[in-house]
Amino acid sequence: AQRVTQPEKLLSVFKGAPVELKCNYSYSGSPELFWYVQYSRQRLQLLLRHISRESIKGFTADLNKGETSFHLKKPFAQEEDSAMYYCALRKFSSGSARQLTFGSGTQLTVLP
Amino acid sequence: DVKVTQSSRYLVKRTGEKVFLECVQDMDHENMFWYRQDPGLGLRLIYFSYDVKMKEKGDIPEGYSVSREKKERFSLILESASTNQTSMYLCASRPGVWAGELFFGEGSRLTVL
């Protein structure tokens, strides 16, 4: 069974500092990885996905299959980045197991 | 924009009561999902539906049932609410199984006394 681990429940950084939110997964096949974000009093929404290889709001994430990781990084954190971040994994295979498995989340606080 | 609307933002119910949580999406999405969101546990899938009248159990279906009579509407039912079902419930939809992105509702916070 697939599993997603976010080891940090809480993470605080100062404005302008680099930030890295860790995500490790366990899955033997080809995974599809996502980061979702939930800002205060807003709905959960997609931030980025690994197959797009895009940068959204200054965030990037690289899939490292050797380390089974998909860490989210931003070189200079902003106060508006404060939010709950969830890493999620989806199997690439067919069948009913194509739903997302979410990690437990990391609450990021960017201090002024 | 995709709109996923959950009918109740806040509910307070008593132990043993029957609870209905309704979710409606306006983009003709085939797939719909119910998650519960708990601190430290993240999102856990309760039930999902690939199409009208189709449903499959997720990771934590015990104590819940669902109904999907129309494509746009997916209901979560707690037949006899218990205090351990106090949680935030999130509904989500996506166009089809090929699509990666889920679109979420604002959530329904249920408190069972």
Side-chain angles (χ1 to χ4, degrees), chain B residues 13-17 80-83 112-113:
Chain B
K13 297 291 182 181
R14 296 201 175 275
T15 301
E17 283 191 275
S80 177
S82 62
T83 55
V112 183
L113 302 175

Side-chain angles (χ1 to χ4, degrees), chain A residues 9 32 34 36 38 43-44 46 49 86 90 95-100 102-105, chain B residues 4 35 37 40-43 45 48 50 56 94 97-102 104-106:
Chain A
K9 288 187 178 181
E32 191 177 1
F34 304 82
Y36 279 78
Q38 189 170 30
R43 64 187 71 202
L44 192 61
L46 178 67
R49 68 190 86 188
Y86 292 97
R90 187 173 78 139
S96 64
R98 275 175 283 190
Q99 67 272 21
L100 290 179
F102 286 85
S104 55
Chain B
V4 180
Y35 287 89
Q37 182 183 31
L41 297 177
L43 275 72
L45 182 64
F48 59 104
Y50 283 121
E56 288 195 35
R94 71 181 177 196
V97 294
W98 64 90
E101 181 177 0
L102 293 182
F104 283 88
E106 292 183 298

